[in-house]
Amino acid sequence: MSDSYQTLQPAAWHEDARGVPRSLEYGDFYHGEAGPLPQARHVFLGGNGLPGRWRGRASFTIAETGFGLGHNFLAAWRAWLDDTDRSGRLHYLAFEAHPFPVADLRRAWGRLPADHLDLARELAGHWPALLPGVHRLDLQEGRVTLTLLFGDIRRLARQAQARVDAFFLDGFAPRVNPDMWSPAVFGQLRRLAVSGATAATWCSAGQVRRDLRDAGFLVDKVPGIAGKRDMTVAVLRPGLGAASPDPGRCRVAVVGGGLAGAGVAQALAGRGHQVEVWDPQCALDVDPALRRRGAAALVPALSPDDDTRSRLSRAGLARARARWLDLAEAARPQACGALVCAQSEAQAEAQRRALARLGFPEDWVRWLDPAGARLRAGVGVPEGGLWFPDALRVCPGELIAALLSLPGVTRRAAAVGALVPVGDDGWSLRDAGGRELGQADRVVLANALHARALLATAMPVDRLPVLSGLAPLAGQVSLYPAGESDVPRCVLSGHGYCLPPRAGWGVAGSTYRPDAAEAVADEAGHRDILSRVRDWVDAREIPWLGRGEAAGWAGWRAATRDHLPLIGAVPDRPGLWLACAYGSRGLSWSALAGDLIGAWMDGEPVPAERELVRRIGPR
């Protein structure tokens, strides 16, 4: 297991005789005698000059060092809503080593006043699975975001990316939880702070004040609440801190109208940017009957050491569910779950060992023996497998068409052949003959294998060796008329895959042809796919699989040597971004890449850890 992995230990509900929630692990209470909301308003809002400081701002970001039962967040959200001069958006970043299950949060929130209870219900409906890492929740129709970092703050403070205006320092007392008040953590908070950032805490311990000063804050004591004489407030010293983000609305050109481009277009248009998608071919121009025939699956990876691909893929699934499950029915993914089928008894044992090591919650993944697997899938799975209830079956053609039809997205049916800088960070898009097609403030290259050639018109691509190593990989899937069949009932994934029928078609896949001269669907490919699937599932119980004449779809994948995508800003080329090299996981990276690029452009908390972002950045 990698040294960085830590099993997440959820909190257990406990309250004293007065009904006040108390942590058994730390032996301390979740709020003081004044109650959680008065404390939040006096200490954290008042101590940070809120709501006054967010007025007139396009966005405002708060970071909290201990989310606990969420009362401080709910109080801030309520105050923001009640302020008619509030900022355009509110971002809230919160660390929590021991998050509560949603059932316990509902119990704590049941005592809230009505105006807070409505917000608590919305938050409960978005509460994530208790998995380590970063979770972004979109609330209030996207105007409020909550970015949760589950795990040890000593590690995660180094992993966070944000530009923070105000800090709520609300861990358990330093005597029982010293790690949360350490100089190392305060140093990371200073890294996240913008110029003029403030901090407030109920804690008035001398060492905490001294460590805040050493981290770069000017510190003072002010009156506390409910019999507590003092509390601490602080402001970052002049000359320190990053510039506050200026999320002005931009003209963004997205080159490529496939899954990568559509995911970026949705994320940026939702933030108010004017998005033009440039592609000579577009899903909207395809016969809808043909669009409905194709299908693919979004299934998270799982490794025993929770490696980069595993962590990114579960973040990708979470962002896809957040972005796509509210789409119109034709484009909406089918939340049918997936069974990652063991290929042998040895692999089944390896899957069970991985689950035991990782300690993931059973509502996100669990092991199913052959009998349990049959109940889920409706067909025989001889070795059992891993059940992922959140996995999705997706119709890519319908999904892309829906995303490219969203307000704020314009399609341009033209091929971009060259990029020429304009001004400090703008770009001119030219065709192959040098004629200008349009201009943009930002350009995102989401055109797979063609990204390298297009980028070469703007810079020497040998500066990015990973992009230089981008390789084409041909493959095909098989499509069979499925009638009214209802099997399999979920995505079946193993050495190949088999998907639940939809719109009269069942899909099985796929082939990988690294040295192919062209991408074609042929009979040899259909035979290859059938032989793969029949190795690990009782295909006789799937009535449509291998019956009759198969149709097919073939295409190219663009893959790096480490099979990770390339997502991020191009070094030394302001305003130029990459979202490519998705390989066979286009669905996993699509929505995640859009939100990563959107967060970077607008200065929002980034929905992934810094070390993961470095591994997928252009390099």
Side-chain angles (χ1 to χ4, degrees):
M1 180 171 296
S2 64
D3 293 337
S4 63
Y5 182 76
Q6 296 175 330
T7 302
L8 189 67
Q9 299 293 334
W13 180 265
H14 179 75
E15 58 185 49
D16 68 3
R18 302 168 297 167
V20 178
R22 182 173 181 268
S23 169
L24 291 175
E25 180 161 355
Y26 295 99
D28 202 354
F29 294 97
Y30 279 93
H31 56 75
E33 295 180 4
L37 296 182
Q39 177 175 289
R41 289 189 284 263
H42 179 87
V43 176
F44 299 110
L45 294 174
N48 280 286
L50 301 173
R53 290 181 55 233
W54 61 44
R55 289 176 178 157
R57 298 276 299 275
S59 67
F60 193 88
T61 299
I62 297 169
E64 182 180 17
T65 53
F67 187 79
L69 292 166
H71 290 117
N72 295 334
F73 168 66
L74 293 171
W77 183 4
R78 182 72 263 168
W80 182 82
L81 280 177
D82 290 343
D83 186 358
T84 56
D85 295 325
R86 60 183 173 265
S87 57
R89 293 177 186 261
L90 177 67
H91 301 294
Y92 198 102
L93 181 81
F95 300 89
E96 181 52 59
H98 305 288
F100 277 101
V102 70
D104 289 336
L105 292 175
R106 290 182 190 274
R107 180 188 307 186
W109 296 338
R111 304 164 184 171
L112 292 171
D115 61 342
H116 287 68
L117 192 56
D118 288 344
L119 306 184
R121 291 192 185 105
E122 182 175 349
L123 176 55
H126 289 79
W127 193 246
L130 301 188
L131 294 159
V134 182
H135 306 264
R136 173 175 167 134
L137 282 60
D138 301 302
L139 306 164
Q140 204 74 45
E141 298 180 335
R143 292 181 296 143
V144 175
T145 68
L146 171 60
T147 303
L148 295 163
L149 295 93
F150 287 165
D152 189 334
I153 193 171
R154 292 172 297 179
R155 188 184 79 83
L156 287 176
R158 300 193 303 270
Q159 299 298 329
Q161 291 178 283
R163 297 187 193 178
V164 178
D165 297 286
F167 293 96
F168 294 2
L169 308 181
D170 193 26
F172 292 118
R175 70 179 185 281
V176 297
N177 190 19
D179 292 337
M180 187 166 283
W181 305 90
S182 69
V185 168
F186 289 162
Q188 292 300 322
L189 299 187
R190 174 189 155 178
R191 175 182 63 82
L192 299 173
V194 301
S195 177
T198 60
T201 176
W202 53 266
C203 179
S204 58
Q207 189 61 52
V208 168
R209 296 199 306 273
R210 288 188 291 274
D211 289 341
L212 276 171
R213 289 191 186 102
D214 291 345
F217 289 86
L218 301 175
V219 181
D220 201 359
K221 289 195 294 186
V222 297
I225 185 175
K228 194 173 190 309
R229 185 177 64 183
D230 298 320
M231 57 177 259
T232 300
V233 295
V235 61
L236 197 64
R237 287 194 185 106
L240 298 180
S244 295
D246 181 18
R249 301 304 165 235
C250 298
R251 296 170 301 162
V252 182
V254 177
V255 182
L259 278 171
V264 171
Q266 181 192 25
L268 298 186
R271 288 167 167 83
H273 298 292
Q274 301 172 20
V275 180
E276 292 185 333
V277 178
W278 295 83
D279 195 318
Q281 299 177 337
C282 187
L284 294 187
D285 300 323
V286 176
D287 183 337
L290 294 177
R291 285 205 306 258
R292 288 192 291 269
R293 289 172 64 178
L298 203 174
V299 182
L302 187 145
S303 68
D305 59 350
D306 202 29
D307 63 10
T308 298
R309 190 169 66 106
S310 297
R311 292 155 67 189
L312 283 170
S313 71
R314 67 171 178 265
L317 173 60
R319 295 316 303 152
R321 290 179 64 89
R323 289 291 183 197
W324 300 343
L325 288 185
D326 289 334
L327 295 172
E329 184 176 1
R332 187 186 312 137
Q334 181 183 2
C336 60
L339 188 66
V340 177
C341 305
Q343 308 294 288
S344 64
E345 184 176 344
Q347 190 179 57
E349 176 59 27
Q351 289 179 338
R352 291 192 291 267
R353 287 198 306 269
L355 287 189
R357 290 176 178 176
L358 296 168
F360 288 166
E362 289 196 350
D363 61 353
W364 193 78
V365 61
R366 65 180 180 272
W367 164 257
L368 295 181
D369 63 17
R374 170 180 280 280
L375 287 175
R376 285 289 179 185
V379 298
V381 181
E383 302 294 345
L386 297 174
W387 169 244
F388 292 93
D390 286 350
L392 304 173
R393 178 203 183 277
V394 183
C395 180
E398 292 285 10
L399 174 65
I400 293 169
L403 299 183
L404 296 185
S405 300
L406 292 171
V409 179
T410 302
R411 293 181 298 129
R412 303 295 186 195
V416 178
L419 299 171
V420 177
V422 176
D424 293 335
D425 57 2
W427 292 90
S428 171
L429 285 70
R430 310 289 178 89
D431 65 14
R435 181 176 63 91
E436 184 171 84
L437 299 170
Q439 292 191 9
D441 302 309
R442 308 282 187 271
V443 175
V444 181
L445 302 186
N447 52 340
L449 289 167
H450 302 292
R452 179 172 54 200
L454 186 52
L455 185 60
T457 67
M459 66 176 292
V461 293
D462 58 4
R463 296 182 186 176
L464 302 176
V466 174
L467 184 64
S468 300
L470 199 61
L473 186 63
Q476 80 173 72
V477 298
S478 299
L479 300 94
Y480 294 95
E484 299 301 317
S485 174
D486 63 351
V487 293
R489 298 174 189 152
C490 64
V491 171
L492 294 178
S493 175
H495 188 50
Y497 58 82
C498 186
L499 306 183
R502 189 175 183 183
W505 291 91
V507 177
S510 63
T511 62
Y512 294 85
R513 295 175 174 175
D515 300 318
E518 57 181 340
V520 295
D522 55 26
E523 188 58 35
H526 294 314
R527 290 195 300 269
D528 183 17
I529 291 168
L530 276 176
S531 66
R532 288 169 181 258
V533 174
R534 285 170 173 164
D535 282 344
W536 47 269
V537 67
D538 192 341
R540 295 169 299 179
E541 299 183 23
I542 303 175
W544 51 267
L545 185 62
R547 310 289 171 84
E549 185 174 350
W553 176 90
W556 292 99
R557 308 175 183 94
T560 59
R561 293 186 181 93
D562 60 8
H563 300 287
L564 292 175
L566 288 172
I567 302 167
V570 177
D572 303 321
R573 291 298 182 272
L576 190 56
W577 302 74
L578 287 180
C580 61
Y582 288 12
S584 59
R585 285 192 168 268
L587 291 170
S588 292
W589 314 138
S590 176
L592 176 63
D595 275 331
L596 286 172
I597 291 174
W600 286 320
M601 282 190 182
D602 285 9
E604 302 171 1
V606 176
E609 295 158 72
R610 288 173 77 198
E611 65 184 8
L612 300 182
V613 166
R614 283 196 295 268
R615 291 168 190 166
I616 62 175
R619 58 205 187 278

